[in-house]
Coordinates of all heavy atoms in Angstrom, one line a residue:
M21 N 14.8 -2.7 -20.0 CA 13.4 -2.2 -20.2 C 12.4 -3.2 -19.5 O 11.5 -2.9 -18.8 CB 13.1 -2.0 -21.7 CG 11.8 -1.4 -22.0 SD 11.7 0.4 -21.7 CE 10.6 0.9 -22.8
L22 N 12.6 -4.4 -20.0 CA 11.6 -5.5 -19.4 C 11.7 -5.6 -17.9 O 10.8 -5.7 -17.2 CB 11.9 -6.8 -20.1 CG 11.0 -7.2 -21.2 CD1 11.4 -8.5 -21.8 CD2 9.6 -7.2 -20.9
K23 N 13.0 -5.5 -17.5 CA 13.3 -5.7 -16.0 C 12.5 -4.5 -15.3 O 12.0 -4.7 -14.2 CB 14.7 -5.7 -15.7 CG 15.0 -6.2 -14.3 CD 16.5 -6.3 -14.1 CE 16.7 -6.8 -12.6 NZ 17.9 -6.3 -12.0
K24 N 12.7 -3.3 -15.8 CA 12.1 -2.1 -15.2 C 10.6 -2.3 -15.1 O 10.0 -2.1 -14.0 CB 12.4 -0.9 -16.1 CG 12.0 0.4 -15.5 CD 13.1 1.0 -14.6 CE 12.6 2.3 -14.0 NZ 13.5 2.7 -13.0
E25 N 9.9 -2.8 -16.1 CA 8.5 -3.0 -16.1 C 8.1 -4.1 -15.0 O 7.1 -3.9 -14.3 CB 8.0 -3.5 -17.4 CG 7.9 -2.3 -18.5 CD 7.6 -2.9 -19.8 OE1 7.1 -4.0 -20.0 OE2 7.9 -2.1 -20.8
F26 N 8.9 -5.1 -15.0 CA 8.6 -6.1 -13.9 C 8.8 -5.6 -12.5 O 7.9 -5.9 -11.7 CB 9.6 -7.3 -14.1 CG 9.5 -8.4 -13.1 CD1 8.4 -9.2 -13.1 CD2 10.5 -8.6 -12.2 CE1 8.3 -10.2 -12.2 CE2 10.4 -9.6 -11.2 CZ 9.3 -10.4 -11.3
E27 N 9.8 -4.8 -12.3 CA 10.0 -4.2 -11.0 C 8.7 -3.3 -10.6 O 8.2 -3.4 -9.4 CB 11.2 -3.3 -10.9 CG 12.4 -4.1 -10.9 CD 13.7 -3.3 -11.1 OE1 13.6 -2.1 -11.1 OE2 14.8 -3.9 -11.1
N28 N 8.2 -2.6 -11.5 CA 7.1 -1.7 -11.3 C 5.8 -2.6 -10.8 O 5.1 -2.2 -10.0 CB 6.7 -0.8 -12.4 CG 7.7 0.3 -12.6 OD1 8.4 0.7 -11.7 ND2 7.7 0.8 -13.8
E29 N 5.7 -3.7 -11.5 CA 4.7 -4.6 -11.2 C 4.7 -5.2 -9.8 O 3.8 -5.3 -9.1 CB 4.6 -5.8 -12.2 CG 3.1 -6.2 -12.5 CD 3.2 -6.8 -13.9 OE1 3.2 -6.1 -14.9 OE2 3.0 -8.0 -14.0
V30 N 6.0 -5.5 -9.4 CA 6.2 -6.1 -8.1 C 5.8 -5.0 -7.0 O 5.2 -5.3 -6.0 CB 7.7 -6.5 -7.9 CG1 7.9 -6.8 -6.5 CG2 8.0 -7.7 -8.9
L31 N 6.2 -3.8 -7.3 CA 5.9 -2.7 -6.4 C 4.4 -2.6 -6.1 O 3.9 -2.3 -5.0 CB 6.4 -1.4 -6.9 CG 7.8 -1.0 -6.6 CD1 8.2 0.3 -7.3 CD2 8.0 -0.8 -5.1
K32 N 3.6 -2.8 -7.2 CA 2.1 -2.6 -7.0 C 1.5 -3.7 -6.3 O 0.5 -3.5 -5.6 CB 1.5 -2.6 -8.5 CG 1.7 -1.2 -9.0 CD 1.0 -1.1 -10.4 CE 1.5 0.1 -11.1 NZ 1.1 0.1 -12.5
I33 N 2.0 -5.0 -6.4 CA 1.3 -6.1 -5.7 C 1.9 -6.4 -4.3 O 1.5 -7.3 -3.7 CB 1.4 -7.3 -6.6 CG1 2.8 -7.8 -6.9 CG2 0.6 -7.1 -7.8 CD1 2.9 -9.1 -7.5
L34 N 2.8 -5.6 -3.8 CA 3.4 -6.0 -2.6 C 2.5 -5.9 -1.4 O 2.5 -6.8 -0.5 CB 4.7 -5.2 -2.3 CG 6.0 -6.0 -2.2 CD1 7.1 -5.2 -1.5 CD2 5.8 -7.3 -1.6
I35 N 1.7 -5.0 -1.4 CA 0.7 -4.9 -0.3 C -0.4 -6.0 -0.5 O -0.8 -6.2 -1.7 CB 0.0 -3.5 -0.2 CG1 -0.9 -3.5 1.0 CG2 -0.7 -3.0 -1.4 CD1 -1.0 -2.2 1.8
P36 N -0.9 -6.6 0.5 CA -1.9 -7.7 0.3 C -3.1 -7.1 -0.3 O -3.5 -5.9 -0.1 CB -2.2 -8.1 1.8 CG -1.0 -7.8 2.5 CD -0.4 -6.6 1.9
V37 N -3.7 -7.8 -1.3 CA -4.8 -7.3 -2.0 C -6.0 -7.1 -1.2 O -6.7 -6.0 -1.3 CB -5.2 -8.2 -3.2 CG1 -6.4 -7.7 -3.9 CG2 -4.0 -8.4 -4.1
R38 N -6.3 -8.0 -0.2 CA -7.5 -7.9 0.7 C -7.0 -7.8 2.1 O -5.9 -8.4 2.5 CB -8.4 -9.1 0.4 CG -9.1 -9.0 -0.9 CD -10.1 -10.1 -1.1 NE -10.7 -10.0 -2.4 CZ -11.8 -9.2 -2.6 NH1 -12.3 -8.6 -1.6 NH2 -12.3 -9.2 -3.8
C39 N -7.8 -7.2 2.9 CA -7.6 -7.2 4.4 C -7.6 -8.7 4.9 O -8.5 -9.4 4.6 CB -8.7 -6.4 5.0 SG -8.6 -6.5 6.9
F40 N -6.6 -9.0 5.8 CA -6.5 -10.3 6.3 C -7.7 -10.7 7.1 O -8.1 -11.9 7.2 CB -5.3 -10.5 7.2 CG -4.0 -10.4 6.4 CD1 -2.8 -9.9 7.0 CD2 -3.9 -11.0 5.1 CE1 -1.7 -9.9 6.3 CE2 -2.7 -10.9 4.4 CZ -1.6 -10.4 5.0
S41 N -8.4 -9.8 7.8 CA -9.4 -10.1 8.7 C -10.7 -10.1 8.1 O -11.5 -11.0 8.4 CB -9.4 -9.0 9.9 OG -8.2 -9.1 10.6
C42 N -11.1 -9.1 7.4 CA -12.5 -9.0 6.9 C -12.5 -9.2 5.4 O -13.7 -9.4 4.8 CB -13.1 -7.6 7.2 SG -12.4 -6.2 6.3
G43 N -11.5 -9.1 4.7 CA -11.5 -9.5 3.2 C -11.8 -8.3 2.3 O -12.0 -8.5 1.1
T44 N -11.9 -7.1 2.9 CA -12.2 -5.9 2.1 C -11.0 -5.6 1.2 O -9.9 -5.8 1.6 CB -12.4 -4.7 2.9 OG1 -13.6 -5.0 3.8 CG2 -12.7 -3.4 2.2
L45 N -11.3 -5.2 0.0 CA -10.2 -4.8 -1.0 C -9.5 -3.6 -0.5 O -10.1 -2.5 -0.3 CB -10.9 -4.5 -2.4 CG -10.0 -4.6 -3.6 CD1 -9.5 -6.0 -3.8 CD2 -10.7 -4.0 -4.8
I46 N -8.2 -3.7 -0.3 CA -7.3 -2.6 0.1 C -6.2 -2.4 -0.7 O -5.5 -1.4 -0.6 CB -6.9 -2.7 1.6 CG1 -6.3 -4.1 1.8 CG2 -8.0 -2.4 2.6 CD1 -5.0 -4.1 2.6
G47 N -5.9 -3.4 -1.6 CA -4.7 -3.3 -2.5 C -4.5 -2.1 -3.3 O -3.5 -1.7 -3.7
D48 N -5.7 -1.6 -3.7 CA -5.7 -0.5 -4.7 C -5.6 0.9 -4.0 O -5.4 1.8 -4.6 CB -7.1 -0.5 -5.5 CG -8.3 -0.5 -4.6 OD1 -8.2 -1.0 -3.5 OD2 -9.3 0.1 -5.0
K49 N -5.6 0.8 -2.6 CA -5.7 2.1 -2.0 C -4.3 2.5 -1.4 O -4.1 3.7 -1.1 CB -6.7 2.0 -0.8 CG -8.1 1.8 -1.3 CD -9.1 1.7 -0.2 CE -10.5 1.7 -0.8 NZ -11.0 0.3 -0.8
F50 N -3.4 1.6 -1.4 CA -2.1 1.9 -0.7 C -1.3 2.9 -1.4 O -0.7 3.8 -0.9 CB -1.2 0.6 -0.5 CG 0.1 0.9 0.2 CD1 0.1 1.2 1.5 CD2 1.3 0.9 -0.5 CE1 1.3 1.5 2.2 CE2 2.5 1.2 0.1 CZ 2.5 1.5 1.4
E51 N -1.3 2.8 -2.8 CA -0.6 3.8 -3.6 C -1.0 5.2 -3.4 O -0.2 6.1 -3.2 CB -0.7 3.4 -5.1 CG 0.7 2.9 -5.6 CD 0.6 2.6 -7.1 OE1 0.7 3.6 -7.9 OE2 0.3 1.5 -7.5
V52 N -2.3 5.4 -3.4 CA -2.9 6.7 -3.2 C -2.6 7.2 -1.8 O -2.2 8.4 -1.6 CB -4.5 6.6 -3.4 CG1 -5.1 8.0 -3.2 CG2 -4.8 6.1 -4.8
F53 N -2.8 6.3 -0.9 CA -2.5 6.6 0.5 C -1.1 7.1 0.7 O -0.8 8.2 1.2 CB -2.7 5.4 1.4 CG -2.3 5.6 2.8 CD1 -3.1 6.3 3.7 CD2 -1.1 5.1 3.3 CE1 -2.7 6.5 5.0 CE2 -0.7 5.2 4.6 CZ -1.5 6.0 5.5
S54 N -0.1 6.4 0.2 CA 1.3 6.8 0.5 C 1.7 8.1 -0.2 O 2.5 8.9 0.2 CB 2.3 5.6 0.1 OG 2.1 5.2 -1.2
K55 N 1.1 8.2 -1.5 CA 1.4 9.4 -2.2 C 0.9 10.7 -1.5 O 1.6 11.7 -1.3 CB 0.7 9.3 -3.6 CG 1.5 10.1 -4.6 CD 0.8 10.0 -6.1 CE 1.5 8.9 -6.8 NZ 0.8 8.6 -8.1
R56 N -0.4 10.5 -1.0 CA -1.0 11.7 -0.3 C -0.3 12.0 1.0 O -0.2 13.2 1.5 CB -2.5 11.5 -0.1 CG -3.2 11.6 -1.4 CD -4.7 11.4 -1.3 NE -5.4 12.2 -0.4 CZ -6.7 12.2 -0.3 NH1 -7.4 11.3 -0.9 NH2 -7.3 13.0 0.6
V57 N 0.1 10.9 1.7 CA 0.8 11.1 3.0 C 2.2 11.9 2.8 O 2.6 12.7 3.5 CB 0.9 9.8 3.8 CG1 1.9 10.0 5.0 CG2 -0.4 9.4 4.3
E58 N 2.9 11.4 1.7 CA 4.1 12.0 1.4 C 4.0 13.5 1.1 O 4.8 14.3 1.3 CB 4.8 11.3 0.2 CG 5.6 10.2 0.6 CD 6.2 9.4 -0.7 OE1 6.5 10.1 -1.7 OE2 6.4 8.2 -0.6
E59 N 2.8 13.8 0.5 CA 2.6 15.3 0.2 C 2.2 16.1 1.4 O 2.0 17.3 1.3 CB 1.5 15.4 -0.9 CG 2.0 14.9 -2.3 CD 0.8 14.7 -3.3 OE1 -0.3 15.0 -2.9 OE2 1.2 14.2 -4.4
G60 N 2.1 15.4 2.5 CA 1.9 16.2 3.8 C 0.5 16.0 4.4 O 0.2 16.6 5.4
E61 N -0.4 15.3 3.8 CA -1.7 15.1 4.4 C -1.7 14.2 5.7 O -0.8 13.3 5.8 CB -2.7 14.5 3.4 CG -3.2 15.5 2.4 CD -4.3 15.0 1.5 OE1 -5.3 14.7 2.0 OE2 -4.0 14.9 0.3
K62 N -2.6 14.3 6.6 CA -2.6 13.4 7.7 C -3.2 12.0 7.4 O -4.2 12.0 6.7 CB -3.6 14.1 8.8 CG -2.9 15.2 9.5 CD -3.6 15.6 10.8 CE -2.8 16.5 11.6 NZ -3.5 16.8 12.9
P63 N -2.5 11.0 7.8 CA -2.9 9.6 7.5 C -4.3 9.3 7.8 O -5.0 8.7 7.0 CB -1.9 8.8 8.2 CG -0.8 9.6 8.5 CD -1.3 11.0 8.6
D64 N -4.8 9.7 8.9 CA -6.2 9.4 9.3 C -7.2 10.0 8.5 O -8.2 9.4 8.1 CB -6.5 9.8 10.8 CG -6.2 11.2 11.1 OD1 -5.4 11.9 10.4 OD2 -6.9 11.7 12.0
K65 N -6.9 11.2 8.0 CA -7.9 11.9 7.1 C -7.9 11.2 5.7 O -9.0 11.1 5.0 CB -7.5 13.3 7.0 CG -8.0 14.1 8.1 CD -8.0 15.7 7.9 CE -8.6 16.3 9.1 NZ -8.3 17.7 9.1
V66 N -6.7 10.8 5.2 CA -6.6 10.2 3.9 C -7.4 8.8 4.0 O -8.2 8.5 3.1 CB -5.1 9.9 3.6 CG1 -5.0 9.2 2.2 CG2 -4.3 11.2 3.5
L67 N -7.2 8.1 5.0 CA -8.0 6.8 5.2 C -9.4 7.1 5.2 O -10.2 6.3 4.6 CB -7.5 6.1 6.4 CG -6.1 5.5 6.4 CD1 -5.7 4.8 7.6 CD2 -6.0 4.4 5.2
D68 N -9.9 8.1 5.9 CA -11.3 8.4 5.9 C -11.8 8.7 4.5 O -12.9 8.3 4.1 CB -11.6 9.6 6.9 CG -11.5 9.2 8.3 OD1 -11.6 8.0 8.6 OD2 -11.3 10.1 9.1
D69 N -11.0 9.5 3.8 CA -11.3 9.9 2.4 C -11.4 8.7 1.5 O -12.3 8.6 0.6 CB -10.2 10.8 1.9 CG -10.6 12.3 1.8 OD1 -11.6 12.6 2.6 OD2 -9.9 13.0 1.2
L70 N -10.6 7.6 1.8 CA -10.6 6.5 0.9 C -11.6 5.4 1.4 O -11.7 4.3 0.8 CB -9.2 5.8 0.9 CG -8.0 6.6 0.3 CD1 -6.7 6.0 0.6 CD2 -8.3 6.7 -1.2
Q71 N -12.4 5.8 2.3 CA -13.5 5.0 2.8 C -13.0 3.7 3.5 O -13.6 2.7 3.5 CB -14.4 4.5 1.7 CG -15.0 5.7 0.8 CD -16.3 6.3 1.5 OE1 -17.1 5.6 2.0 NE2 -16.3 7.6 1.6
V72 N -11.8 3.8 4.1 CA -11.3 2.7 4.9 C -11.6 3.0 6.3 O -11.0 3.8 7.0 CB -9.7 2.6 4.7 CG1 -9.2 1.4 5.5 CG2 -9.4 2.4 3.3
K73 N -12.7 2.4 6.8 CA -13.3 2.8 8.1 C -12.9 1.8 9.2 O -12.8 2.1 10.4 CB -14.8 2.9 8.0 CG -15.1 4.1 7.2 CD -16.6 4.3 6.9 CE -16.9 5.6 6.1 NZ -18.3 5.6 5.6
R74 N -12.8 0.5 8.8 CA -12.6 -0.5 9.9 C -11.2 -0.5 10.4 O -10.3 -0.3 9.6 CB -13.0 -2.0 9.4 CG -14.4 -2.1 9.1 CD -14.7 -3.6 8.8 NE -16.1 -3.7 8.4 CZ -16.5 -4.3 7.3 NH1 -15.7 -4.9 6.5 NH2 -17.8 -4.5 7.1
W75 N -11.0 -0.9 11.6 CA -9.7 -1.0 12.3 C -8.8 -1.9 11.5 O -7.6 -1.6 11.3 CB -9.8 -1.5 13.7 CG -10.1 -0.5 14.7 CD1 -11.0 0.5 14.7 CD2 -9.3 -0.4 16.0 NE1 -10.9 1.2 15.9 CE2 -9.9 0.7 16.7 CE3 -8.3 -1.1 16.5 CZ2 -9.4 1.0 17.9 CZ3 -7.9 -0.8 17.7 CH2 -8.4 0.3 18.4
C76 N -9.3 -3.1 11.2 CA -8.5 -4.1 10.6 C -8.0 -3.7 9.3 O -6.8 -4.0 9.0 CB -9.3 -5.4 10.5 SG -10.9 -5.2 9.6
C77 N -8.8 -2.9 8.5 CA -8.3 -2.5 7.2 C -7.3 -1.3 7.3 O -6.3 -1.3 6.6 CB -9.5 -2.0 6.4 SG -10.8 -3.3 6.2
R78 N -7.5 -0.5 8.3 CA -6.6 0.7 8.5 C -5.3 0.2 8.9 O -4.3 0.7 8.4 CB -7.3 1.6 9.5 CG -8.5 2.3 9.0 CD -9.2 3.0 10.1 NE -8.6 4.4 10.3 CZ -9.2 5.5 9.8 NH1 -10.3 5.4 9.1 NH2 -8.6 6.7 10.0
R79 N -5.2 -0.8 9.7 CA -3.9 -1.3 10.2 C -3.2 -2.0 9.0 O -1.9 -2.0 9.0 CB -4.0 -2.3 11.4 CG -4.8 -3.6 11.1 CD -3.9 -4.7 10.8 NE -4.6 -5.7 10.0 CZ -5.1 -6.8 10.4 NH1 -4.9 -7.2 11.6 NH2 -5.8 -7.6 9.6
M80 N -3.9 -2.6 8.1 CA -3.2 -3.2 7.0 C -2.4 -2.1 6.1 O -1.3 -2.4 5.7 CB -4.3 -3.8 6.0 CG -5.0 -4.9 6.5 SD -4.1 -6.4 6.8 CE -3.7 -6.9 5.1
I81 N -3.0 -1.0 6.0 CA -2.4 0.1 5.2 C -1.4 0.8 6.0 O -0.2 1.0 5.6 CB -3.4 1.0 4.6 CG1 -4.4 0.3 3.7 CG2 -2.8 2.3 4.0 CD1 -5.4 1.2 3.1
I82 N -1.7 1.2 7.3 CA -0.8 2.0 8.1 C 0.5 1.2 8.4 O 1.6 1.7 8.4 CB -1.5 2.4 9.4 CG1 -2.5 3.4 9.1 CG2 -0.4 2.9 10.4 CD1 -3.4 3.8 10.3
S83 N 0.3 -0.1 8.7 CA 1.5 -0.9 9.1 C 2.3 -1.5 8.0 O 3.3 -2.2 8.2 CB 1.0 -2.0 10.1 OG 0.2 -2.9 9.4
H84 N 1.9 -1.2 6.8 CA 2.6 -1.9 5.6 C 3.9 -1.1 5.4 O 3.9 0.2 5.4 CB 1.8 -1.7 4.4 CG 2.4 -2.3 3.2 ND1 2.7 -3.6 3.1 CD2 3.0 -1.7 2.1 CE1 3.3 -3.8 1.9 NE2 3.5 -2.7 1.3
I85 N 5.0 -1.8 5.3 CA 6.2 -1.2 5.0 C 6.8 -1.7 3.7 O 6.8 -3.0 3.5 CB 7.3 -1.6 6.1 CG1 6.8 -1.1 7.4 CG2 8.6 -0.9 5.7 CD1 7.6 -1.6 8.6
D86 N 7.1 -0.8 2.8 CA 7.6 -1.3 1.4 C 9.0 -1.7 1.6 O 9.9 -0.9 1.6 CB 7.5 -0.1 0.4 CG 6.4 -0.3 -0.5 OD1 6.0 -1.5 -0.8 OD2 5.9 0.7 -1.1
L87 N 9.2 -3.0 1.5 CA 10.5 -3.5 1.6 C 11.2 -4.0 0.3 O 12.2 -4.5 0.3 CB 10.5 -4.8 2.6 CG 10.3 -4.5 4.1 CD1 10.2 -5.8 4.8 CD2 11.5 -3.7 4.6
I88 N 10.5 -3.6 -0.8 CA 10.9 -4.2 -2.1 C 12.3 -3.7 -2.4 O 13.1 -4.5 -3.0 CB 9.9 -3.8 -3.2 CG1 10.3 -4.4 -4.5 CG2 9.8 -2.2 -3.3 CD1 10.1 -5.9 -4.5
D89 N 12.7 -2.5 -2.0 CA 14.0 -2.0 -2.4 C 15.1 -2.8 -1.5 O 16.2 -2.8 -2.0 CB 14.1 -0.5 -2.0 CG 13.3 0.3 -3.0 OD1 13.1 -0.1 -4.1 OD2 12.8 1.4 -2.6
E90 N 14.7 -3.3 -0.4 CA 15.7 -4.0 0.4 C 15.9 -5.4 -0.2 O 17.0 -6.0 -0.2 CB 15.2 -4.3 1.8 CG 14.6 -3.0 2.5 CD 15.8 -2.1 2.9 OE1 16.9 -2.6 3.3 OE2 15.5 -0.9 2.9
F91 N 14.9 -6.0 -0.9 CA 14.9 -7.3 -1.4 C 15.5 -7.4 -2.8 O 16.0 -8.4 -3.2 CB 13.5 -7.9 -1.4 CG 13.1 -8.4 -0.1 CD1 11.9 -7.9 0.5 CD2 13.8 -9.3 0.6 CE1 11.5 -8.2 1.7 CE2 13.4 -9.8 1.9 CZ 12.2 -9.2 2.5
L92 N 15.3 -6.3 -3.6 CA 15.7 -6.3 -5.0 C 17.1 -6.8 -5.3 O 17.3 -7.5 -6.2 CB 15.4 -5.0 -5.6 CG 14.0 -4.8 -6.1 CD1 13.8 -3.4 -6.7 CD2 13.5 -5.8 -7.1
P93 N 18.1 -6.4 -4.5 CA 19.5 -6.8 -4.8 C 19.6 -8.3 -4.7 O 20.6 -8.9 -5.3 CB 20.3 -6.1 -3.7 CG 19.5 -5.0 -3.2 CD 18.1 -5.4 -3.4
F94 N 18.8 -9.1 -4.1 CA 18.9 -10.5 -3.9 C 18.1 -11.4 -4.9 O 18.1 -12.5 -4.8 CB 18.5 -10.8 -2.5 CG 19.3 -10.1 -1.4 CD1 18.7 -9.0 -0.7 CD2 20.6 -10.4 -1.2 CE1 19.4 -8.3 0.2 CE2 21.3 -9.7 -0.2 CZ 20.7 -8.7 0.5
T95 N 17.3 -10.7 -5.8 CA 16.5 -11.5 -6.7 C 17.4 -12.0 -7.9 O 18.4 -11.4 -8.2 CB 15.3 -10.7 -7.2 OG1 15.8 -9.5 -7.8 CG2 14.4 -10.5 -6.1
Ligands
LIG127 ZN1 -10.6 -5.3 7.3

């Protein structure tokens, strides 16, 4: 039970909280982004909806790869 909760927390914090270049908060937007893209929406429209307008911030979300499942067996 405890381990499960801890894993969920790791999943949430894996994307950097702020954009490396401009410092805009983006950590809260990745979950919504990936959920909506999985449901079939176009990534560029989702980013526009989430008010992620700058290139630097968009690349943070688009280029993020969730590797937590690859790492978990080694913790
Ligand atoms: Zn940025």
